[in-house]
Each structure stands twice: as C-alpha cells, then as structure tokens.
Amino acid sequence: MLKKSKRAIVTGGTRGIGKAIVKELAARSCCGVLFSDVAFIYNSCDECAEEIQREIGEETKVFAFKADASSFNDAQATVDAAIKKLGGVDILINNAGITKDNLLLRMSEHDFDKVIEVNLKSVFNYSKAVIKTMISQRYGRIVNIASVVGLIGNAGQSNYAASKAGIIGFTKSLAREVASRGITVNAVAPGFIETEMTSALNEAQRQTLITNIPMKRLGKPEDVAKVVGFLCSDEADYITGQVISVDGGMVM
Ligand code: NAP
C-alpha cells in the first residue's frame, strides 16, 4: 500500500486551477509524492468546497478553510488550524487570485489595491505563515501561480500584471533565502486556461487568443496542475527559483 507522505495547503482550492491542483496532489501516486493530504482555502463558495470534498472521497484527507487570503491575520490562524488537522505542512501552493480589468485611465484605486492584496499580498501572507515550520523541518515545496501576463504585460490588466510580476520577484527572492534549508520555491505561469476567470471572453476574443497560441487551444486546469504536482515531487528536488510557463507556446 502507498504511504501517505505529504501534507499540502492550497489557497483558492475550490474552483478552476486550484481545484485541479487539490485533486492532483490528493491523487498523485508517483514521482515520490504519495497521496498528499490537502487543506484548501476558499473565500466564498461553500457549495464548491463541499463538492470538492465529496469528489475526492475518503482515500485522502481533505480539509476546507474559509478565509480571505489577503488578510495577514487570517493567514497565520488558518495555517495553524490546517497544520493541526494535517499534522504538519510540506507543500504550499499560492493559487488564490482575481481580476479587475480596466484600462489605467479608468482603473480605480480600489480595483488596483484589491488585485494586489488578493494576488500578491496573499503569497506573502501564506509563505510567511508556513516558512518557520518548513525551515525547522528542513523541507518544503512552495509553488506560486503567476501568469504569462506577469512576463509580457497585457493592456487592460496593469493591476493584474503588476501582481503577477511581483509574484515572480517574490518567488526568486524567497528561493534564494531558503534554498540551503531544503525548501524549493518556484512559480508556474499559466497562459489562457479554461476557468471561470476566462469565461467572460466572447467567441471573437477566444478566436483571437487562439490565433496567437502555437498549440491552437486554451489550456485546461489539469495542464497546470500536473506541472505543479511535478514541482512538488522528489523528481524536482534540484529546481528552484524558476518560472515555468504552461501556455501552449504563447510566450517563448
Ligand atoms: P477562478 O476559477 O476564478 O478561481 C479562483 C479561486 O481563488 C477560487 O477558488 C476562489 O475561491 C479563490 N479566491 C479568490 N479570492 C480569494 C480570496 N480573497 N481568498 C481566498 N480565496 C480566494 O480562477 P482560476 O482561473 O482558477 O485562477 C487561479 C489562479 O491562476 C489565479 O491566481 C489566477 O490569477 C491564475 N491564472 C489563471 C489563468 C486563467 O487563464 N484562468 C491564467 C493565468 C493565471 P471562492 O470560489 O471561494 O471565491
């Protein structure tokens, strides 16, 4: 029988990419990560949290915590509660994110601040909340979900692109700080992935996007989740401070 060996915390685990990551980590039975127990954080969708727990079933322990990932105080309390349930923490996936798109001319201060708080500050909050534990056990895997938009920018997304570029700088800096303690810190930069976040695109916008994707399709949440699973596995022990694009070749 496979040993349950890893404990993971995933922010934004109820929908889209985060949900696929929770399932990937819970089911992963190869590459050194055997059946992770997972605690996920979500902000609003109680039914989504219940559904994911039902879908994963009893093979793996899955715990849901309702919290606003942008709150520093909530983060430490939530991580402490998750560690209590899981019996520790080996893996952190910073995935929670939102968009509030507009041209800079029309972007409000509120929409700029909100996107930075949820997308970037949350990465600081949760990384800070787990790092002492990871340092003292001399093991940890942190994967931050950035975006190709953080690499190349996107008109109408200056707030979002700034948050994702910030995540990339944070990832590389923390990777340098903790590499000698057995902790890897990497970022995954998805291109356009089929989730609720991209469901607002109309057919014409989708077709224009697809024209610029060499693989001629949008990505699936599972495309991203598999790379995250790999980065958490023992096979990725010697990879840190990297940004891996999962974008069908959009940015190269
Ligand atoms: P999504 O379908 O909108 O799901 C977002 C998830 O984040 C939900 O589980 C949501 O929980 C959670 N969340 C939002 N605000 C939160 C908060 N303040 N505190 C805690 N949880 C919060 O988004 P997605 O497309 O899967 O995106 C996931 C990540 O990938 C994001 O960081 C996004 O920027 C990034 N990304 C997405 C794409 C894409 O094309 N979809 C491309 C590049 C990068 P509730 O349901 O409870 O609100």
Side-chain angles (χ1 to χ4, degrees), residues 7 36 46 50-51 62 92 131 134-135 163 185 194-195 213 238 250:
R7 288 83 39 107
S36 296
D46 296 324
E50 284 159 22
E51 189 187 311
V62 181
L92 169 67
I131 205 71
M134 288 184 176
I135 287 173
S163 73
V185 189
E194 306 257 19
T195 69
I213 300 173
Y238 199 53
M250 222 178 104

Side-chain angles (χ1 to χ4, degrees), residues 11-19 41-46 48 67-70 94-99 114 118-119 122 126 145-149 160 164 167 188-198 221 224:
T11 70
T14 42
R15 291 186 283 116
I17 294 170
K19 181 176 179 178
I41 321 302
Y42 69 104
N43 190 36
S44 58
C45 185
D46 296 324
C48 308
D68 178 355
S70 68
N94 284 305
N95 165 78
I98 57 168
T99 52
K114 192 75 193 162
V118 175
N119 296 8
S122 67
Y126 279 79
I145 307 302
S147 166
V148 290
V149 162
Y160 184 78
K164 296 301 183 180
I167 287 175
V188 171
F192 286 91
I193 310 295
E194 306 257 19
T195 69
E196 282 175 45
M197 192 174 267
T198 47
V224 180

Side-chain angles (χ1 to χ4, degrees), residues 47-147:
E47 311 82 67
C48 308
E50 284 159 22
E51 189 187 311
I52 190 168
Q53 287 180 298
R54 268 198 308 277
E55 281 178 27
I56 289 174
E58 286 166 10
E59 263 175 32
T60 304
K61 286 189 209 132
V62 181
F63 306 101
F65 293 90
K66 191 170 188 174
D68 178 355
S70 68
S71 159
F72 181 72
N73 292 335
D74 282 7
Q76 190 63 65
T78 307
V79 164
D80 289 347
I83 287 178
K84 209 167 169 190
K85 287 276 188 192
L86 294 168
V89 62
D90 306 294
I91 295 167
L92 169 67
I93 315 297
N94 284 305
N95 165 78
I98 57 168
T99 52
K100 289 195 180 291
D101 298 350
N102 223 329
L103 296 173
L104 183 64
L105 270 176
R106 297 195 203 112
M107 188 177 290
S108 66
E109 182 186 8
H110 172 270
D111 285 358
F112 184 85
D113 288 347
K114 192 75 193 162
V115 167
I116 298 291
E117 280 163 20
V118 175
N119 296 8
L120 179 57
K121 175 92 184 301
S122 67
V123 176
F124 166 78
N125 293 342
Y126 279 79
S127 302
K128 191 159 168 70
V130 300
I131 205 71
K132 256 192 202 162
T133 304
M134 288 184 176
I135 287 173
S136 62
Q137 72 197 13
R138 296 201 155 252
Y139 181 88
R141 296 281 172 270
I142 299 178
V143 181
N144 300 321
I145 307 302
S147 166

